[in-house]
Amino acid sequence: MKIAEILARVDDEKLNQYDARVKTAWLSEVEGMVVDEILNMAEGNDIEFDGYDYDRDFERTLLVPDRFGDVYSNYLAAKIDYKNGEIERYNNSVAAFESSFQTFAAYYRRNHIPKDTAQFRGW
């Protein structure tokens, strides 16, 4: 899914006053979490991610496969609700995001070999 597509999807599903640049910055936040907490934990991955800029990257394909696109739309919905001060909606949206994020993480971990990590031994 491309950045422009996910932004259009969110705008269709949830009325909001935030422009594409703000929502792209939010996408950068969640993409950073995907890279740091999921993708770079697998063998062979060492992705350097420094964020997106809407003007430059609006046609860039996001890292999470389309079938798990709710990771992005749920995160953006939660950010919109939080910024609007709609705390009850925010709680529901963030719960939906956590569920979709964990679903993708579990799928990815099942299908990729984890990196060897150093083990701490207490003497």
Side-chain angles (χ1 to χ4, degrees):
M1 184 173 300
K2 296 180 187 308
I3 290 175
E5 293 171 341
I6 194 66
L7 297 185
R9 177 177 165 185
V10 168
D11 288 343
D12 287 344
E13 294 175 357
K14 191 169 199 67
L15 293 175
N16 67 85
Q17 70 275 19
Y18 303 100
D19 68 18
R21 286 173 186 79
V22 170
K23 289 182 280 205
T24 301
W26 293 341
L27 277 177
S28 293
E29 292 174 7
V30 70
E31 195 82 316
M33 286 189 279
V34 167
V35 167
D36 292 342
E37 297 176 25
I38 301 171
L39 302 181
N40 279 347
M41 302 310 273
E43 192 68 38
N45 285 350
D46 193 22
I47 300 168
E48 293 286 329
F49 179 72
D50 62 353
Y52 296 126
D53 175 82
Y54 183 77
D55 295 328
R56 181 188 69 223
D57 299 320
F58 69 96
E59 283 296 317
R60 181 171 288 194
T61 300
L62 296 163
L63 297 172
V64 173
D66 289 355
R67 69 186 230 189
F68 298 103
D70 283 351
V71 168
Y72 300 118
S73 58
N74 289 336
Y75 187 81
L76 291 176
K79 291 296 278 193
I80 290 167
D81 292 337
Y82 180 78
K83 294 294 183 181
N84 289 343
E86 297 171 346
I87 300 307
E88 188 172 326
R89 286 184 182 180
Y90 166 75
N91 288 334
N92 292 334
S93 295
V94 82
F97 163 71
E98 288 291 333
S99 175
S100 59
F101 188 84
Q102 292 305 320
T103 299
F104 172 66
Y107 161 81
Y108 195 83
R109 289 176 185 134
R110 279 192 310 272
N111 291 288
H112 295 83
I113 298 169
K115 286 182 179 176
D116 287 333
T117 58
Q119 294 182 358
F120 175 77
R121 293 188 180 163
W123 299 95

